[in-house]
Amino acid sequence: MKLTISILEDQPTEAEYLKTLLHKWSSQENCELEIAEYCSGEEFFTQNNTDTYKRFSVFFLDIQMKELSGLDVAKRLRKEGYTGPIIFLTAFREYVFHGYEVHALNYLLKPVKEEPLFLCLNEIANDISNSSYLYRNKQDIISIPYKDIITFSSSLHYIDILTVSEHYCQYATLNNIIEYLPQEFIRIHKSCIVNMAHIYKVTGSTIVLSNRMTTQIGRSYMKSVIAAFTAYSMRFDKA
């Protein structure tokens, strides 16, 4: 397996240290890396275009760069069609809440620690290896990558499965399905399960999803959903 990584970091020592850890992880996991390094958002966008963004498996973005901040870069990447993981590098934990609007995978606090970084990379590698949900109907069995599933929602005795590109309908119940889903899936009300990796923003009781659809958090689920999503956003860095 190969990961193509883009690092935008304006502090050379920070960038070098991150690359050292990345190469250590790749050696342990027998994963090939291709790393492109940029000292600013301006440099990145000068050297790349919308056709080349998609080749990157993951972006590591320093939030506090001089002109274009990491948040500015992430917003432009999302606007121009990049859907892969974005990881912010920051010295300030409070920046986590700004990531909702750009669908950030995670925040790593500086100086980056080996354990949270490796956990983050393992999750990305696992997603790329296509861990999947098996959808069954009378004619077919289809393997759907979990990373592509946005929501499961119930209607009478059927479940609608919404993905980034398709829609499926299955005879099942949410109670049965949620027992077998990965931890990034959370029930937000009695008739809907959401993949937290596809949450762009939470405003009050409204969730904005990666496809720009909105859904509501049930009143009795509110506290658990907010707690779970906050923990998910910071799951690799507990310091």
Side-chain angles (χ1 to χ4, degrees), residues 118-153:
F118 285 15
L119 287 170
C120 195
L121 292 167
N122 288 340
E123 180 172 298
I124 293 168
N126 184 60
D127 284 346
I128 292 174
S129 69
N130 288 329
S131 178
S132 301
Y133 174 82
L134 290 181
Y135 162 78
R136 297 177 175 87
N137 61 22
K138 291 181 180 180
Q139 292 80 33
D140 305 305
I141 298 178
I142 300 173
S143 179
I144 308 172
Y146 283 123
K147 66 182 179 65
D148 291 342
I149 298 174
I150 301 174
T151 62
F152 293 89
S153 57

Side-chain angles (χ1 to χ4, degrees), residues 17-112:
Y17 180 61
L18 177 58
K19 287 191 294 182
T20 298
L21 292 181
L22 290 171
H23 286 300
K24 182 177 181 180
W25 175 84
S26 70
S27 178
Q28 290 180 3
E29 300 297 327
N30 193 28
C31 178
E32 181 182 355
L33 295 186
E34 178 183 341
I35 299 175
E37 183 183 349
Y38 307 91
C39 65
S40 69
E42 291 83 356
E43 182 184 14
F44 172 80
F45 288 117
T46 297
Q47 297 183 23
N48 295 274
N49 56 44
T50 53
D51 292 327
T52 61
Y53 300 167
K54 297 178 183 179
R55 73 183 180 90
F56 290 108
S57 308
V58 56
F59 281 84
F60 287 88
L61 303 179
D62 178 18
I63 285 187
Q64 291 183 298
M65 293 185 289
K66 292 181 180 177
E67 297 296 331
L68 286 176
S69 71
L71 287 168
D72 294 330
V73 172
K75 289 177 183 179
R76 179 166 169 182
L77 289 173
R78 294 304 189 208
K79 183 178 180 180
E80 297 183 1
Y82 180 73
T83 59
I86 291 173
I87 299 167
F88 285 127
L89 308 173
T90 179
F92 302 99
R93 182 179 293 273
E94 58 267 25
Y95 274 111
V96 65
F97 297 103
H98 294 282
Y100 294 167
E101 60 191 287
V102 293
H103 189 202
L105 172 68
N106 196 241
Y107 286 73
L108 295 178
L109 297 176
K110 293 183 179 183
V112 175

Side-chain angles (χ1 to χ4, degrees), residues 168-183:
Y168 303 91
C169 186
Q170 182 178 26
Y171 186 81
T173 68
L174 289 184
N175 287 337
N176 289 336
I177 286 176
I178 199 167
E179 294 182 13
Y180 303 99
L181 295 178
Q183 63 182 5

